[in-house]
Amino acid sequence: MEEVCYEKVLKQIRGGHQVMVFVHARNSTVRTAMSLIEMAKNRGELSFFQVDQGPDYGQCEKQVQRSRNKQVREMFPDSFGIHHAGMLRQDRTLMENMFSRGYLKVLVCTATLAWGVNLPAHAVIIKGTNIYDAKRGALVDLGILDVMQIFGRAGRPQFDKYGEGTIITTHDKLSHYLTLLTQQNPIESQFQQSLADNLNAEIALGTVTNVDEAVQWLSYTYLYVRMTANPLAYGISHKAYQMDPQLELYRKELVVESGRKLDKARMIRFDERTGYFASTDLGRTASHFYIKYNTIETFNELFNAQKTEADILSIVSKAEEFEQVKVRDEELEELEKLLCNFCELPATGGVENGYGKINILLQTYIGRGEVDSFSLISDLSYVAQNAARIVRALFEIALRKRWPAMTYRLLNLCKVIDKRLWGWAHPLRQFSALPPSVLSRMEERNLTVDKLKDMGKDEIGHMLHHVNIGLKVKQCVHQIPAILMESSIQPITRTVLRVRLSITPDFRWNDQVHGSVGEPWWLWVEDPINDHIYHSEYFLLHKKQVVSGESQQVVFTIPIFEPMPSQYYIRAVSDRWLGSEAVCIINFQHLILPERHPPHTELLDLQPLPVTALGNREYESLYKFTHFNPIQTQIFHTLYHTDTNVLLGAPTGSGKTIAAEMAIFRVFNKFLVLMRWFNRRETWEKVRVVVELTGDVTPDMRAIAQADLIVTTPEKWDGVSRSWQNRSYVQNVAILIIDEIHLLGEDRGPVLEVIVSRTNFISSHTSKQVRVVGLSTALANARDLADWLGIGQVGLFNFRPSVRPVPLEVHIQGFPGQHYCPRMASMNKPVFQAIRTHSPAKPVLIFVSSRRQTRLTALDLIAFLATEDDPKQWLHQDEREMNDIIGTIRESNLKLTLAFGIGMHHAGLHERDRKTVEELFVNCKIQVLIATSTLAWGVNFPAHLVIVKGTEYYDGKTRRYVDYPITDVLQMMGRAGRPQFDDQGKAVILVHDIKKDFYKKFLYEPFPVESSLLSVLSDHLNAEIAAGTVTSKQDAMDYITWTYFFRRLVMNPSYYNLDDITHETINRYLSNLVERSLRDLECSYCMEIQEDEQTIEPLTYGRISSYYYLKHQTIRMFKERLKPELPIQELLAILSEAEEYAELPVRHNEDQLNSELAQRLPLQVNPHSYDSAHTKTHLLMQAHFSRAQLPCSDYGTDTKTVLDNTIRICQAMLDVVANEGWLVSALSICNLVQMIIQARWLHDSSLLTLPHIQKQDLYVFRRWSAKGARGGGGYRGPIEGLPELMAACDGKEDNFTSMVKEVLQPNQISQAWAFLSHLPVVEVRMSVKGWWEGCEEQTERVIPANVTNIRDESSWLPLHADQEYVLQVSLRRLNAGQQRVKEAGQQGTDGEVRAACCYSDGVFVVSTVLTSESFSRCIYTLYLMSDSYLGLDQQYDIHLNIIPASIAAQVNSEISDNAGKKAPK
């Protein structure tokens, strides 16, 4: 064969062509090239191979001589080259260059060159057609595809007219290759070999969930195309093919066989009876890390929790991924050398075996060993790439199996491979900046990172005999990621602990070392005795947190068992850095577990009570049913025939609202009722007067006084009842009904707690009994709540969660994945399947966490529907009718989804769209409604099936995903099962797999309610101090004993960090609590403690904070940042810094949206704080004034949230500056309020506040002056603002129409005129009342409103010094209208606010006392500021001339004072 090859090569060379000789092993390239050179030398024909040396030949020769490859250097002068995958990349490139330049006549290479590099030659020769197949361990024929590919390299398109290809093979194979070359051979599929791996990937992805889907999936493959075209090649007999032309049975056979294999390897769960596949952690890990099925089999056999690092490397080296790596004879010597020099761990298998070679190479890679043989270099890089991936997969498997020691070992091994450093090396070796000699010295002297942190830079330099290196070492030490962890534990029940972990970064950030995003960490809780992980999670320490040193809060729950273990460990390990970890010990020595919970109320087997038991036709007419349900029947007597307080705990959907109505009927004819959060307002309005309290500070008193029923939210009622002494309607309340009282444990809980405590306090002071009715879901600790509400044995009804009118079937499914969005996407297919399985034709409610998720879920469901026979199966209405409805919808995505019978419901939708969707769903016209979680509380739409898709939501404040409160999940589940239509409801809860156990526990047994008052105690104490109910520290202690918090403190002390429950400890704990809260309030200028250290005196700022329902931190910030003369820009910045805005969500990637929005707005904000809630608030307010386009619909809802709070915060700011007497700031705040109400900047024309008038329309007003002069009428000047326009129109609509008719439509004109004609026109009259010399009695002198000449003596009003006068300002509204109008403030020339007051329409008199001690002329200014409209403010100067005191006048005034004092008698 060598001879034939040489002759063929020589023939081509003589013809002046280049030749490529293809061989089939790397070592054959060198052997063949050497034998060809040898033959040429022996025959004296070497001169034919010499090349013409071009100008750059010398340069090329130098390049070749620099190569590390000895054979390349030796062959180049004879114009021979070699090329194979075992060579270094630069050597391969060098050979390709030399060949294309013509300096190599013959290139001997492996077939990879034909596939990988486009390097043509005139002639190609294939030397031999036997190729070694490692899998079969035998020689096989070279495939026709390889032959075609190699021959494709013959003939260079630019230079040759034809190419020549030669195959040198054995005689018996000649005809085989001839037929293959002359007849075109089809390409067959090799898919069957890896069918199991690919099927597992689809199951893990969720696209294939059963055998039928897998059979369908196979029909999309090329394998299927070839099986139908050439069944015999795939072992399908002709007969079988005729009976099953679609090959469904054969495909099913393939799928079932693969399914069994995967099930055996525990990669999936395959139920052959139903044909369903379920993915497992192992299968998902294999799919994610691209691990082959056979490798997983190996892991199952060899991998367990006791393996050492050496065992792990041995297991990894046996992976199927390395099967094709073989040991070559020429490598044995070098492998022996590597084994001795670089292998720190024993390498099982030694140098003779393939897996031994892998192990040696992997350890050499970690030890940064030098490899000489080129084949070993390429094997080394292949091993390194794959081993890292396989070890990561093993780490995930160990973590899922909850083996702590193994997980830790594997995570370290992952980093060892990534960093190429053994775990016992010094952590500073991870920094390339430090010289090796210094690192070696550190290791010799055993200078650990902790020791280095404590040493100074000079001391380090001295120890390492290198003076200047100290600073660099110190910098590196501080750049190794380190964290400090502090944990606090709270027992929720006797078996569940909540752990709050505070993680503080303790290192310096450097972008070159750490990148620009964050440092990833793994965290797990391990029980060292049982060797088990109870919780694990992945978290990211963001760059911003590290730079600012801000700590990150992680909250999770873990189980606890009795007898209690001594301790658990929380271990945090960096995902990237060796030696970077932290451990925190959870100690259980002082843990007191809460009391066991009392049993539930049993549901009695009673005869259902008819509605007629109410004994009142009017009441009975409210109900469409004839009998009460079992729960309502059991509690009827207590609610309707007694006055005891009631706590009713029953699952959602069991008819609690009607129970509350029974209690209302009881007191209806006598008293006023207060009800919290009910949705039956429309029903009640048929019977009684119902008032809803909305967010303003002072609701309409008259309406409240006349109401029978007040529906309100806790915050609103808290604000109103704070001043209960002055509000008779608060004292008149006879029954307080609190819906969802279990929310005591959530964010809004403290407000509920305060309301009930205050109600009890009020009733004890007014000796009027107020009945309290609490409604909640089934509770674990109902007895505590009942004690707090003053309920004895009668009145407590706490039924089991299972007592529902419609029984509920719950399915919980866990989903893996660290990242939220991909995890949510993986839930869409299971959602679709749950609908098909549990509710193919009945209504379905899907709850998601965000508006974005409503859209993404809907679009995915539509994609799944599209593959069905009837894609519109969820639309239960005529398509034409639905198209008409879709025409009225604004939201574009909703238009699309409704056509498929899927509705979306969230706060970002227009109200009309929301109402349409609700109606369609309630009337079963659409089958599926995807809603955000708020719908569970807000609207009562039951459905047959409820799916909770994910139990986390993005919390803008902490910038991470946090869990819904368990009560929210129960509330959502409670929407399943429609009492009138279903005999069973179904709920499917899709959760993050690590939380599955927690939900399993608490969805079936009730959740205890704890108090969350502690975090906001200061604000509520301040309200009581301001109201005068708390006047000393003892009062504050007593106040706390009224709360639910106090009840739970005794029952579950460890939850509130109380060590034991002796009397002294509790007293000391409460005393510290009060001290701490009062200290906070004192720092916020809200109150002061008197010298006796007991009495508490409220201050003005505390009253302002309580009245406007603000947090004390906000008032402190106002006190410290407000100044006498602040412009509007500064005030806007202060306003947006209010603590109330800290909760505004800044969602994922919104920092970028904020950055883009900021570019379009006039006022600059701090560019480093785009992810801050306060900065976002600032931008939203600017966008509101500029009427700018917002980046997305979420921002619209956020703006509404911001504006809801703005007015009361501004009014509090105004009170603060008025209290200080700062005129300029007070006027600026008034202007700011006007800007907020009108959504305009102050410098905008006030004419723009007219409806439909835009900037481009203002010219019609400016040019009016000329027309006005001609046409007669009122005002004649140019119109720049609203007052001029009102004067010019002179109350006539025609005048206005003639101005604007060219820019507005008739209906727009009438709307604009309606606005303009109702603007308040206020007439101001001023007079001064008092004694003057020469007057017998008190007289009143009028002050002229407009003074034209101040030199005129009559413009000045004389007043006697040291004498009190009353300034009376009479305000009268000239035009009719209902709006609230003005704020009157009156200031002195020294810029101080002397008096301020608010009023609404009609004649109004404000009086203030004027006194002066110095003789001079002074000017007071009266400001009349609108709190709603821009451009309507008025200002009047009052000219006063102070003259010497008059004895007579003084005597008269004293006499009148005394008479006034006696008069009341």
Side-chain angles (χ1 to χ4, degrees), residues 834-997:
I835 297 173
R836 283 175 53 178
T837 311
H838 300 299
S839 182
K842 290 183 176 178
V844 181
L845 249 179
I846 303 173
F847 286 110
V848 293
S849 67
S850 65
R851 299 157 195 191
R852 183 164 174 266
Q853 277 300 328
T854 55
R855 186 181 77 242
L856 296 177
T857 309
L859 296 177
D860 258 17
L861 288 180
I862 291 174
F864 296 132
L865 281 171
T867 63
E868 298 280 302
D869 299 334
D870 175 15
K872 302 219 169 171
Q873 54 191 302
W874 295 343
L875 179 63
H876 305 305
Q877 185 173 18
D878 183 57
E879 275 194 50
R880 284 186 303 252
E881 285 176 31
M882 183 48 99
N883 286 339
D884 295 342
I885 294 171
I886 290 173
T888 66
I889 299 286
R890 293 185 176 199
E891 166 73 29
S892 56
N893 289 303
L894 188 56
K895 284 176 187 254
L896 169 66
T897 62
L898 281 178
F900 288 89
I902 301 172
M904 295 191 292
H905 192 290
H906 56 74
L909 288 178
H910 189 269
E911 195 166 352
R912 202 176 67 214
D913 286 3
R914 262 208 317 270
K915 285 274 181 283
T916 307
V917 171
E918 288 170 13
E919 275 177 37
L920 287 170
F921 184 70
V922 169
N923 297 319
C924 296
K925 301 294 188 200
I926 55 175
Q927 187 182 327
V928 177
L929 180 62
I930 305 173
T932 47
S933 51
T934 43
L935 181 75
W937 298 104
V939 193
N940 187 4
F941 297 155
H944 176 66
L945 166 67
V946 164
I947 300 174
V948 180
K949 185 185 157 200
T951 54
E952 306 115 311
Y953 66 97
Y954 186 71
D955 178 22
K957 194 174 185 190
T958 56
R959 299 199 191 91
R960 54 199 299 269
Y961 286 96
V962 297
D963 288 333
Y964 287 136
I966 199 94
T967 44
D968 281 18
V969 181
L970 288 168
Q971 185 75 21
M972 294 177 212
M973 285 166 54
R975 294 282 170 249
R978 302 162 299 160
Q980 311 90 313
F981 311 107
D982 297 333
D983 51 9
Q984 181 187 38
K986 298 195 177 177
V988 176
I989 319 287
L990 311 180
V991 300
H992 191 184
D993 55 358
I994 57 177
K995 296 174 185 143
K996 190 171 171 180
D997 296 342

Side-chain angles (χ1 to χ4, degrees), residues 972-1169:
M972 294 177 212
M973 285 166 54
R975 294 282 170 249
R978 302 162 299 160
Q980 311 90 313
F981 311 107
D982 297 333
D983 51 9
Q984 181 187 38
K986 298 195 177 177
V988 176
I989 319 287
L990 311 180
V991 300
H992 191 184
D993 55 358
I994 57 177
K995 296 174 185 143
K996 190 171 171 180
D997 296 342
F998 175 77
Y999 281 100
K1000 260 188 183 158
K1001 184 172 178 58
F1002 282 115
L1003 292 179
Y1004 300 118
E1005 62 174 75
F1007 193 79
V1009 173
E1010 299 292 352
S1011 168
S1012 47
L1013 180 66
L1014 275 187
S1015 54
V1016 288
L1017 181 62
S1018 305
D1019 285 321
H1020 291 296
L1021 261 183
N1022 176 51
E1024 302 306 327
I1025 293 167
T1029 44
V1030 170
T1031 56
S1032 67
K1033 287 184 181 174
Q1034 188 54 47
D1035 286 353
M1037 296 270 281
D1038 295 344
Y1039 169 75
I1040 289 176
T1041 59
W1042 282 90
T1043 60
Y1044 178 63
F1045 156 69
F1046 182 68
R1047 297 284 183 296
R1048 286 307 292 165
L1049 180 65
V1050 183
M1051 288 296 189
N1052 190 358
S1054 289
Y1055 187 91
Y1056 304 98
N1057 294 329
L1058 177 62
D1059 295 337
D1060 62 65
I1061 46 174
T1062 59
H1063 201 64
E1064 300 92 73
T1065 316
I1066 291 183
N1067 259 346
R1068 192 165 58 247
Y1069 177 89
L1070 291 180
S1071 171
N1072 289 341
L1073 191 60
V1074 168
E1075 284 289 344
R1076 206 164 51 241
S1077 298
L1078 294 180
R1079 203 165 43 247
D1080 283 350
L1081 291 173
E1082 207 168 15
C1083 291
S1084 296
Y1085 316 99
C1086 290
M1087 39 79 44
E1088 62 183 11
I1089 299 168
Q1090 301 297 311
E1091 286 169 7
D1092 63 0
E1093 285 296 316
Q1094 282 301 318
T1095 318
I1096 299 169
E1097 187 65 39
L1099 298 177
T1100 311
Y1101 292 107
R1103 290 195 182 98
I1104 293 172
S1105 164
S1106 167
Y1107 184 76
Y1108 290 108
Y1109 211 75
L1110 297 182
K1111 297 184 179 173
H1112 67 90
Q1113 295 94 327
T1114 302
I1115 287 293
R1116 180 193 315 177
M1117 191 261 298
F1118 286 170
K1119 173 81 173 80
E1120 288 166 358
R1121 287 190 54 185
L1122 287 169
K1123 300 279 183 300
E1125 298 188 5
L1126 285 177
I1128 281 186
Q1129 295 90 303
E1130 298 270 331
L1131 287 169
L1132 188 60
I1134 293 173
L1135 172 62
S1136 56
E1137 285 299 315
E1139 189 65 24
E1140 278 64 20
Y1141 294 127
E1143 305 274 334
L1144 187 75
V1146 180
R1147 301 172 192 84
H1148 261 325
N1149 301 328
E1150 283 196 352
D1151 47 350
Q1152 270 137 343
L1153 295 180
N1154 290 342
S1155 159
E1156 290 159 19
L1157 183 58
Q1159 311 302 320
R1160 299 188 277 121
L1161 296 170
L1163 303 181
Q1164 285 189 332
V1165 292
N1166 176 359
H1168 302 299
S1169 66

Side-chain angles (χ1 to χ4, degrees), residues 105 257 317 423 474 524 600 709 831-832 863 926 930 1041 1051 1135 1195 1209 1266 1340 1395 1435 1460:
K105 281 290 179 76
E257 188 189 336
S317 56
K474 195 81 180 146
W524 62 81
H600 289 283
L709 187 64
V831 164
F832 182 67
I926 55 175
I930 305 173
T1041 59
M1051 288 296 189
L1135 172 62
Y1195 273 52
I1209 300 176
E1340 191 175 331
Q1435 172 180 340

Side-chain angles (χ1 to χ4, degrees), residues 1214-1230:
L1214 186 56
D1215 281 8
V1216 170
V1217 294
N1219 183 51
E1220 296 288 351
W1222 294 333
L1223 171 61
V1224 177
S1225 292
L1227 295 178
S1228 295
I1229 293 170
C1230 290

